[in-house]
Amino acid sequence: MRIDSMTPAEERVWRAFPRGEDVDFRDPADDPARGAGPGPERTVRAAVLRALLLSAPQEDGETAALRLAGARITGELRLQYADIDHAVRLSDCFFEDPPVLYAARLRQLNLRGSVLPALHAENLRVDGVLRLSGCRFGGPVRLAGAQITGALFLDGADVGAPPAGQPALQLNHVTVGDGLSAPGLRTRGEIRLTGASTTGTIDLAGARLDAGPGAAALDAVTLTVEGDVLLREAEVCGWIGLRGARVAGRLDFSRARLANPGGTALRASSCTLGELWLREGPPVSGALNLRRAQVDVLFLAPESVPGEVLLDSLVYTSLTPHEPAERRLAMLERDREGYVPHAYEQLTAAYRRIGDDDAARVVQLAKQRRRRATLPWPGRWWGHVQDAAVGYGFRPLRAAGWLVSLLVLGSLAYALHRPRALKPDEAPEFNPVFYTLDLLLPVISFGQEGAFAPTGWHQWLSYALVLTGWILATAVVTGVTRTVSRP
């Protein structure tokens, strides 16, 4: 393009480029939503910018760069496959057409505060920072497969609703060196992070992700993050998918609002997390799926747990904050799959690791009671007997209570109605206490039972005491065996 065919505004940009000088067309009265004013003094054609970046002359001793602010950019800025060694900053600009940066390579790109219909930058490579802070996108942002050696900034950005079936923010298989910083991001559709990776942190604190109930708000299947993933105080409408993700640091939903009524709000199955924080916020609206997940530290406040969970094969090392077992058991009872033995074993192990054996026993007792409901009627009957007798072995003093109660009952009954001696000349002196003990204890003999024979209802009482003694003894042995055999 010949320089004499340019407008004064374009000439100004052209002449500033070789020295990396700023060209600022901004006016304090501008409304960024409508873009820069319509006058030609602030309008720059995209074709001029393209020619500038691809073929502009250099000046010795100067570092060329495009630094333009507050301009209206007309036409389509097409830089696909371009190799640009200059820093590009187009801040607070208004783009009439979406820039096309497919497979381009840039040193640095800064679109801070600009208004764009969309952005097409699949497979883009940036050897520094990509800054989209405060940008307003009317349509989708496509960065799938992009490689960014520095950081990606989307803080305060606003992404409009995409066409049906497309994500609003497409970041699948993107590689970001220093992390994604997007606090305060607003999207009206899906953020797709499947297969993405970063050695830094993904910061979505205070973000507003609105995909609608039943739709994907954040799909991050097989995401890999060496730092943290922060969604503190975020508001999410739709589901979050983290199946197979690996987060070395903390996945933090502190004070967040997760809502996907009628579906699963958080799908984190088969993922590996350093820490998972779900606390200080309202209960999750929708199911929580942590099946087969592996978490070092699970920071889960009971009041944040939704009405439906999926916990089968969830493994965690530490569970905080420390809560009474009864508060944690309520979560296990909400499992969509019903009785899940593994969930009880994990909770028991967590209490034992911190030395709270009483809470561990409460969990194991609750496990046996849940298991009882899954058995056929003979097993349920025997379970009720063990529960009533010794609390499945976790309440051993209950057996002593039963023994003392029956001993008192039998002793009083036989003291008031002494049974006749079978052989009066050979019978020992009758003792109602030891006679009752002879009936109750199946193994120990005090020589009373075989020497005396009660009649009438006292005989039936003796049968009942003998049978109860055998049942009580069997329940005690079964319960103690179960308790001793546990690691």
Side-chain angles (χ1 to χ4, degrees):
M1 177 176 291
R2 293 172 57 86
I3 193 170
D4 57 3
S5 66
M6 297 181 189
T7 66
E10 292 168 347
E11 284 190 27
R12 182 180 169 187
V13 175
W14 191 278
R15 296 184 189 281
F17 176 81
R19 295 183 296 276
E21 296 176 347
D22 291 329
V23 178
D24 195 343
F25 292 129
R26 288 177 293 190
D27 187 316
D30 286 345
D31 181 356
R34 294 197 299 268
E41 73 280 359
R42 303 172 65 177
T43 300
V44 179
R45 287 170 289 173
V48 173
L49 298 180
R50 183 177 187 277
L52 185 67
L53 291 169
L54 296 180
S55 60
Q58 308 290 306
E59 289 189 12
D60 292 339
E62 299 289 346
T63 301
L66 177 58
R67 303 181 187 277
L68 176 60
R72 175 184 287 271
I73 300 174
T74 60
E76 189 177 62
L77 181 58
R78 301 187 65 85
L79 295 172
Q80 65 269 34
Y81 302 107
D83 195 340
I84 301 169
D85 289 327
H86 318 297
V88 178
R89 188 181 72 193
L90 298 169
S91 57
D92 297 310
C93 293
F94 181 87
F95 290 78
E96 290 187 348
D97 296 292
V100 180
L101 306 175
Y102 181 87
R105 187 189 71 81
L106 295 94
R107 177 174 296 180
Q108 183 178 348
L109 178 60
N110 185 346
L111 299 176
R112 175 193 287 273
S114 293
V115 179
L116 308 92
L119 178 62
H120 305 314
E122 298 93 333
N123 298 315
L124 172 71
R125 177 178 174 182
V126 180
D127 294 331
V129 172
L130 175 56
R131 190 176 295 275
L132 303 175
S133 306
C135 287
R136 300 187 184 186
F137 298 95
V141 177
R142 299 173 181 169
L143 286 165
Q147 298 181 47
I148 303 166
T149 59
L152 170 58
F153 290 92
L154 278 159
D155 45 301
D158 191 312
V159 184
Q166 297 185 26
L169 181 55
Q170 190 172 359
L171 295 170
N172 48 302
H173 302 289
V174 70
T175 301
V176 184
D178 293 337
L180 167 60
S181 177
L185 172 68
R186 173 71 186 273
T187 59
R188 297 168 183 82
E190 174 190 349
I191 298 178
R192 186 172 296 172
L193 273 165
T194 56
S197 63
T198 178
T199 57
T201 289
I202 295 179
D203 187 357
L204 290 165
R208 303 294 182 266
L209 314 182
D210 187 5
L218 175 60
D219 190 356
V221 172
T222 66
L223 171 71
T224 301
V225 180
E226 298 299 326
D228 302 326
V229 177
L230 308 176
L231 286 105
R232 293 178 296 212
E233 300 180 357
E235 293 186 9
V236 182
C237 182
W239 55 265
I240 296 176
L242 291 163
R243 180 175 55 83
R246 299 178 63 87
V247 180
R250 182 171 72 250
L251 175 60
D252 192 349
F253 291 100
S254 299
R255 299 179 296 280
R257 295 178 177 270
L258 309 183
N260 187 34
T264 301
L266 177 58
R267 306 174 180 180
S269 58
S270 303
C271 65
T272 303
L273 308 173
E275 300 180 18
L276 173 58
W277 288 29
L278 192 61
R279 64 187 185 110
E280 298 182 6
V284 175
S285 178
L288 174 63
N289 185 350
L290 296 176
R291 287 186 296 186
R292 300 179 300 280
Q294 298 185 39
V295 186
D296 287 339
V297 178
L298 181 58
F299 198 127
L300 187 59
E303 57 271 14
S304 296
V305 178
E308 187 175 58
V309 297
L310 290 158
L311 304 175
D312 191 18
S313 299
L314 166 66
V315 177
Y316 49 88
T317 303
S318 173
L319 179 62
T320 58
H322 181 65
E323 295 279 354
E326 291 78 8
R327 295 256 289 166
R328 294 297 186 188
L329 287 170
M331 176 178 68
L332 274 55
E333 293 167 359
R334 300 172 190 173
D335 201 297
R336 182 190 299 173
E337 296 179 343
Y339 169 59
V340 179
H342 184 270
Y344 288 88
E345 292 300 322
Q346 276 295 299
L347 184 56
T348 300
Y351 279 122
R352 282 181 173 154
R353 274 190 287 269
I354 61 175
D356 194 343
D357 291 332
D358 289 339
R361 284 191 288 269
V362 170
V363 175
Q364 282 296 296
L365 178 57
K367 175 191 174 186
Q368 294 299 327
R369 288 171 175 169
R370 285 291 302 278
R371 176 179 175 272
R372 183 174 67 209
T374 67
L375 301 175
W377 74 264
R380 291 198 301 271
W381 177 85
W382 179 237
H384 281 293
V385 171
Q386 292 185 78
D387 194 359
V390 289
Y392 286 98
F394 301 103
R395 299 287 185 267
L397 291 179
R398 190 175 294 177
W402 279 107
L403 181 63
V404 171
S405 299
L406 293 172
L407 179 60
V408 170
L409 174 64
S411 299
L412 290 175
Y414 293 118
L416 295 174
H417 191 281
R418 179 174 177 170
R420 64 180 180 84
L422 294 176
K423 297 180 178 180
D425 297 335
E426 301 177 8
E429 182 179 353
F430 179 74
N431 187 308
V433 175
F434 284 96
Y435 180 74
T436 305
L437 283 174
D438 250 353
L439 296 173
L440 282 173
L441 302 179
V443 178
I444 301 175
S445 176
F446 295 99
Q448 294 278 319
E449 180 184 0
F452 300 92
T455 58
W457 72 269
H458 289 83
Q459 184 177 14
W460 289 103
L461 176 60
S462 67
Y463 296 156
L465 290 174
V466 170
L467 180 60
T468 304
W470 275 104
I471 293 175
L472 186 61
T474 305
V476 168
V477 171
T478 303
V480 170
T481 302
R482 180 187 295 110
T483 304
V484 172
S485 63
R486 291 199 55 79

